[in-house]
Every structure is written in C-alpha cells, then in structure tokens.
Amino acid sequence: MQLCAEQDIYTFSTENWGRSPEELAALFDTLADGITQGAQWLHRLGVQVRWCGRRDQIDTSLASALTLVESMTCNNDVLTFTVCVDYGGREELTAAARALAAEAVAGTIRPADIGPADLARHLYVPELPDVDLLVRTSGEQRISNFLPWHLAYAELVFDPILWPDYDLARLRDAVTAYAARERRFGSRGGLPAQTGRERPARTG
C-alpha cells in the first residue's frame, strides 16, 4: 500500500457567517474560482482533494466546485488535501454526539460501550488521521475551533507572518522546529491510538 501525505487548510469557518453579505459573496466567489481553476493542476499532481465541513449551507457554486474536484481526484494517492469549508470543531463534535445519541435511542449501541472510535466514525471525514503539526500564521496564537478532535497531540508552531507571505522557507523552518521536539503523547514514548484510518498524520 502506498503511503499518502496529508495537508489540511482552514478556508471558511462556521464563525465566518457573521461577516457582511457582501464579504461572504466575495469569499465564496473567490474560493469557487480558485478551486475550479486549480482542479486540473491538482489532479495532474496526483492530489486527492477532500471537503471537511457542513455541506448544506454554503453557496451552491462553491459547493458544486468542491464536489466536482472531490469526484475528479478521489483516486489520487500522492497527497491528500483536505479543505475545511463551513467547518467548526464544536459543531462537528456536536453533530457526532447527536448521531451517537440517535444510535443509543435506536438500541444499536449501549451508552456504556461508546468509545473514542465510535465518536470518530461520525465526524465529517472519519478517515482523517490525527494532526502532527499545526502552523498558525498572522500572529494568532490559538487554534480557532479547527479540528479539536484531531489536534489532541499536535505540535503547534506560531508564525507572525501574514498568510499570503508564508513561503516554502518558513514551512521548512516549522518542520525543522517540529522535528527537534520530543513527542511523548502523555507517556514515556510511543504513539497514541489513531481514531481514524491508519494513514500518516499530517500538518494542518
């Protein structure tokens, strides 16, 4: 089996709905255009694109662009690129809890038997592995409701540079800093159990 690297990007959060209608329209148009224009390029590179987030509220043109690129690239295996659109970590966990509660009411699972893997299978993209490295730019020093389930043991790197100016050299610096850290996962060594599909963890 070929191993596939993973990369995630947070493009539109559930909290972003608080912006003005004009700004939302511009954001949706920009995202839809960018995804449409980059679809063939990503496909040629062997990148599989996945959408993580709610799928029933965003602009239809953006939803269509994301669904199309997902379908086009679904068999690619060089890099998995997860685009978090209309995503919020608390909303994701709440939706997973609702699904588990429905299972319990239906009698298909006993509350006493519920474990981490049961919640994980109800996340937006159940096969997403845990994050190894989170890079936060623009001087912000918080995770902003991004993938809280997957960030449990992530290493965090905060960079003051604005995102448009973030380049390969700074990414290399972040990876170098990450590689120099000793990761114990709350113990003397070893890796934590993955709650999703067995794939290499990735940067977020």
Side-chain angles (χ1 to χ4, degrees), residues 11-119:
T11 58
F12 185 83
S13 75
T14 52
E15 289 75 19
N16 290 151
W17 286 107
R19 300 185 180 188
S20 69
E22 294 77 15
E23 187 174 2
L24 290 174
L27 281 170
F28 290 148
D29 287 345
T30 300
L31 286 171
D33 288 345
I35 291 166
T36 301
Q37 293 172 13
Q40 290 291 344
W41 175 68
L42 291 169
H43 188 39
R44 287 195 300 271
L45 291 175
V47 176
Q48 178 189 147
V49 179
R50 290 187 300 204
W51 174 5
C52 179
R54 300 184 302 192
R55 296 183 175 236
D56 58 349
Q57 298 188 44
I58 66 170
D59 182 81
T60 54
S61 63
L62 176 55
S64 296
L66 284 165
T67 301
L68 177 62
V69 74
E70 273 191 311
S71 177
M72 178 190 300
T73 64
C74 65
N75 293 319
N76 294 341
D77 59 5
V78 174
L79 173 74
T80 301
F81 184 57
T82 303
V83 183
C84 295
V85 178
D86 201 11
Y87 175 85
R90 288 182 174 180
E91 174 60 30
E92 179 181 36
L93 295 177
T94 300
R98 283 196 297 265
L100 278 176
E103 287 187 15
V105 169
T108 58
I109 191 170
R110 295 174 60 246
D113 294 335
I114 293 174
D118 296 300
L119 191 144

Side-chain angles (χ1 to χ4, degrees), residues 133 135 155-158 166 169-183:
L133 170 64
V135 178
E155 295 294 326
L156 310 181
V157 171
F158 300 106
Y166 195 84
R170 300 190 83 91
L171 177 59
R172 285 175 176 152
D173 289 343
V175 173
T176 298
Y178 162 79
R181 298 180 185 179
E182 181 179 3
R183 307 184 72 199

Side-chain angles (χ1 to χ4, degrees), residues 147-188:
L147 297 176
W149 181 266
H150 306 84
L151 286 173
Y153 286 99
E155 295 294 326
L156 310 181
V157 171
F158 300 106
D159 194 313
I161 197 168
L162 296 176
W163 169 247
D165 298 320
Y166 195 84
D167 58 15
L168 182 58
R170 300 190 83 91
L171 177 59
R172 285 175 176 152
D173 289 343
V175 173
T176 298
Y178 162 79
R181 298 180 185 179
E182 181 179 3
R183 307 184 72 199
R184 296 186 178 182
F185 303 102
S187 65
R188 292 185 178 274

